Amino acid sequence: MNKADIGLIGLAVMGENLVMNMESKGFTVAVYNRTVDKVDKFIEGRAKGKNIIGAHSLEELIANLKSPRKVMLMVKAGKPVDDFIEKLLPLLDKGDIIIDGGNSHYPDTQRRTEYVESKGLLYIGAGVSGGEEGALKGPSIMPGGSKEAWPPVKPILQGIAAKVDGHPCCDWVGEGGAGHYVKMTHNGIEYGDMQLIAESYILMRDMLKLSNDEMSKIFAEWNKGKLDSYLIEITADILSYKDEENKYAIDYIMDTAGQKGTGKWTAMDALEEGVPLTLIAEAVFARCLSSDKEQRRHAEELLGKNSPKAPEDKEQFVKDIENALYAAKVISYAQGYVLLRSAAKTYGWNLNFGGIALMWRGGCIIRSAFLGKIHEAFTENPDLENLLFAPYFANAMKEAVPSLRRICSYAMQEGVAIPSMASALCYWDGIKTFSSGANMIQAQRDYFGAHTYERTDRPKGEFFHTNWTGEGGDTQSGVYNA
Ligand code: 2AM
């Protein structure tokens, strides 16, 4: 057999499916796995008769690769990636490329890019989204790292990625850890989308007392309109799914949400960047609150259970939930993009924001028609400061926000917790308020800590201190902080 176009290490489901996908697109792939039995099983099983070469050692894997060699790691994030890099370095030559397609945290990818480049080789950290099915049929791929590595890798990664209107959901993101940063933000947005859907569900279930089938129909209907997306589609399926005993699966699934940490990373990074990513942060906290069911049982017994009343016009309420979900989703993406802008500045990445929307439009969990509109907004204005300022979204919000306001008011009054929708409304009202209450915070900081303040009637950059009590003196905190 000819030499392979690419080598892949890590034959768990994602790795195997990516190999099958690459092979189906005409690439020859060499494979290796730490537990070598899995190589033989794969070669004799799914890979039988395909252009796939099994290797029983890293040396054998590397010997089977065309130059410049490309080796993709699909192993557990963390130490295994560093270990494989160490083992690969002596086997590779200048200009060869190591690609990490796992769920690595972006600072690791930043560090590894620098390290591998310092050894004369090239590195790519690629976020891959779409789960097992995506890996096989076409995922969304977000590659970043050594820019020189992109041209040789591009035909393979774009070849296996999902396509929307013939456009691959994969393009160069930026240097260093940019690819994994964008993937992390994607996951944070996914947390937000899922929480908003869960809030819509709870509003319909607990306030309107709708049946699972009724809700399933509503979500299926929403999926034909502006909320058209993979997550809305699967929600309709989930609600109507009955098991062998004719019971609705959703009714007996425990309401304690798990998490693997990528939403938390996104929220932590937003705090680090000083970006108000409130909706996603609330979505992470909502999972935390859900996870302790015993505490919620205790609190319900001790503090009292709410019994929300249904609104009079149920049909209008369902329409309002649809619009509220949409408005909150726009806010969530607006916040996510502000985070990306901020990180791009911090790390010196030249991110193509419209291109990122295209990468997310297919293949991945947050895929939706809506991302096409985001792409258009950034194509019109690549320097768009906030998605809410794009004419299309500004108009859409004018129509949808009254519904978000009605839903939040009613849910608050009746005692249904919708933290992500509520945070969206607070952000919307907050960003539109030129004259906020932060003058009070500045006054307090100056009162107790002589932190000084700027004045509205003097030029910016001039700092003042008031001796509020007549006893504090005129010393400013900066003087003794220095
Ligand atoms: P294994 O089949 O030998 O366990 C997903 O878990 C993939 O990562 C698998 O291919 C797995 O190999 C690999 N993996 C997990 N931990 C690893 C480690 N410490 N070193 C090398 N490979 C590892």
Side-chain angles (χ1 to χ4, degrees):
M1 200 181 282
N2 288 334
K3 284 197 172 182
D5 298 292
I6 186 165
L8 188 138
I9 299 173
L11 292 176
V13 191
M14 284 292 284
E16 272 197 21
N17 282 359
L18 277 182
V19 174
M20 298 307 287
N21 183 353
M22 287 170 181
E23 202 273 346
S24 77
K25 299 292 180 318
F27 299 105
T28 300
V29 191
V31 297
Y32 173 76
N33 192 70
R34 173 184 61 168
T35 311
V36 181
D37 290 359
K38 286 195 191 163
V39 176
D40 296 326
K41 259 195 214 136
F42 181 54
I43 295 294
E44 284 152 24
R46 289 176 83 191
K48 204 174 177 106
K50 311 269 184 195
N51 290 320
I52 298 173
I53 304 165
H56 295 89
S57 67
L58 284 177
E59 287 77 5
E60 196 186 340
L61 179 84
I62 301 307
N64 272 296
L65 300 180
K66 283 182 200 160
S67 193
R69 302 186 190 92
K70 302 160 206 77
V71 186
M72 185 160 186
L73 298 172
M74 289 302 295
V75 298
K76 216 169 135 206
K79 195 166 175 297
V81 177
D82 288 308
D83 290 348
F84 271 116
I85 291 174
E86 272 321 310
K87 286 183 188 148
L88 285 168
L89 285 175
L91 304 176
L92 295 173
D93 293 323
K94 201 170 180 307
D96 287 348
I97 304 159
I98 300 175
I99 306 159
D100 170 22
N103 254 331
S104 295
H105 196 194
Y106 79 91
D108 289 334
T109 306
Q110 260 329 52
R111 168 179 59 78
R112 288 170 187 149
T113 306
E114 272 178 37
Y115 177 65
V116 172
E117 284 180 352
S118 77
K119 304 281 177 192
L121 277 77
L122 302 172
Y123 193 78
I124 287 187
V128 178
S129 173
E132 295 165 11
E133 196 190 346
L136 184 64
K137 296 182 181 161
S140 161
I141 308 177
M142 296 149 254
S146 315
K147 199 155 193 225
E148 272 173 77
W150 178 233
V153 163
K154 183 176 169 181
I156 303 178
L157 294 190
Q158 289 198 336
I160 62 168
K163 311 279 180 314
V164 176
D165 304 332
H167 200 97
C169 298
C170 169
D171 210 341
W172 184 245
V173 176
E175 301 199 337
H180 275 129
Y181 196 96
V182 168
K183 170 67 186 355
M184 176 190 80
T185 308
H186 159 283
N187 283 29
I189 286 176
E190 184 182 310
Y191 272 59
D193 279 359
M194 291 169 75
Q195 176 63 23
L196 289 173
I197 290 174
E199 291 177 10
S200 304
Y201 159 69
I202 207 77
L203 287 165
M204 287 192 270
R205 190 191 73 182
D206 290 0
M207 293 188 108
L208 301 180
K209 315 280 186 229
L210 297 185
S211 70
N212 289 326
D213 281 330
E214 284 169 320
M215 288 188 276
S216 171
K217 283 200 190 93
I218 289 168
F219 276 103
E221 206 48 47
W222 290 356
N223 199 38
K224 294 179 192 156
K226 61 190 174 192
L227 290 172
D228 174 357
S229 62
Y230 171 70
L231 282 169
I232 295 281
E233 180 191 328
I234 67 166
T235 302
D237 279 354
I238 289 167
L239 282 163
S240 62
Y241 185 87
K242 286 186 184 167
D243 64 12
E244 316 75 52
E245 293 172 31
N246 211 29
K247 289 200 303 205
Y248 286 98
I250 190 69
D251 290 342
Y252 56 75
I253 291 176
M254 184 87 80
D255 58 334
T256 50
Q259 47 182 321
K260 281 194 172 166
T262 41
K264 181 181 79 179
W265 286 348
T266 318
M268 283 168 66
D269 220 73
L271 287 172
E272 226 23 89
E273 290 286 330
V275 168
L277 194 84
T278 56
L279 192 144
I280 291 171
E282 285 290 1
V284 177
F285 288 135
R287 288 198 193 189
C288 300
L289 188 62
S290 84
S291 68
D292 194 342
K293 197 163 170 67
E294 272 318 302
Q295 188 186 46
R296 284 186 287 121
R297 185 205 304 281
H298 179 61
E300 192 178 278
E301 282 166 10
L302 185 74
L303 307 172
K305 182 180 157 82
N306 295 336
S307 309
K309 281 194 309 290
E312 270 166 32
D313 190 342
K314 289 190 176 189
E315 220 170 286
Q316 178 59 39
F317 199 70
V318 171
K319 277 197 196 120
D320 277 342
I321 299 174
E322 181 184 12
N323 284 327
L325 174 47
Y326 179 78
K329 187 170 158 136
V330 173
I331 299 274
S332 180
Y333 283 66
Q335 293 183 340
Y337 268 93
V338 173
L339 177 63
L340 288 178
R341 249 180 99 91
S342 175
K345 205 164 159 216
T346 302
Y347 299 108
W349 298 326
N350 181 23
L351 297 185
N352 173 353
F353 300 113
I356 291 167
L358 280 189
M359 277 182 252
W360 292 346
R361 202 166 50 139
C364 61
I365 306 298
I366 64 169
R367 62 185 181 258
S368 67
F370 172 81
L371 281 156
K373 294 291 175 196
I374 297 183
H375 172 245
E376 282 171 25
F378 281 108
T379 306
E380 242 170 63
N381 177 9
D383 293 323
L384 190 61
E385 188 188 348
N386 189 310
L387 208 52
L388 297 173
F389 303 162
Y392 176 85
F393 286 109
N395 275 330
M397 289 299 277
K398 267 189 207 138
E399 274 179 36
V401 168
S403 293
L404 178 62
R405 208 176 283 293
R406 279 195 291 274
I407 292 296
C408 287
S409 316
Y410 203 79
M412 298 272 169
Q413 190 188 308
E414 293 299 319
V416 178
I418 48 166
S420 279
M421 285 193 187
S423 74
L425 187 56
C426 286
Y427 178 82
W428 171 257
D429 287 330
I431 198 172
K432 292 190 311 123
T433 302
F434 178 60
S435 183
S436 77
N439 48 337
M440 178 56 74
I441 291 170
Q442 285 300 81
Q444 290 170 336
R445 293 178 70 239
D446 190 57
Y447 189 112
F448 64 68
H451 291 294
T452 74
Y453 53 85
E454 291 169 289
R455 293 175 59 117
T456 54
D457 56 356
R458 299 286 167 83
K460 251 189 99 57
E462 243 186 274
F463 290 86
F464 298 87
H465 169 59
T466 295
N467 183 355
W468 296 90
T469 57
E471 291 168 6
D474 293 328
T475 315
Q476 301 173 3
S477 76
V479 176
Y480 41 85
N481 277 351

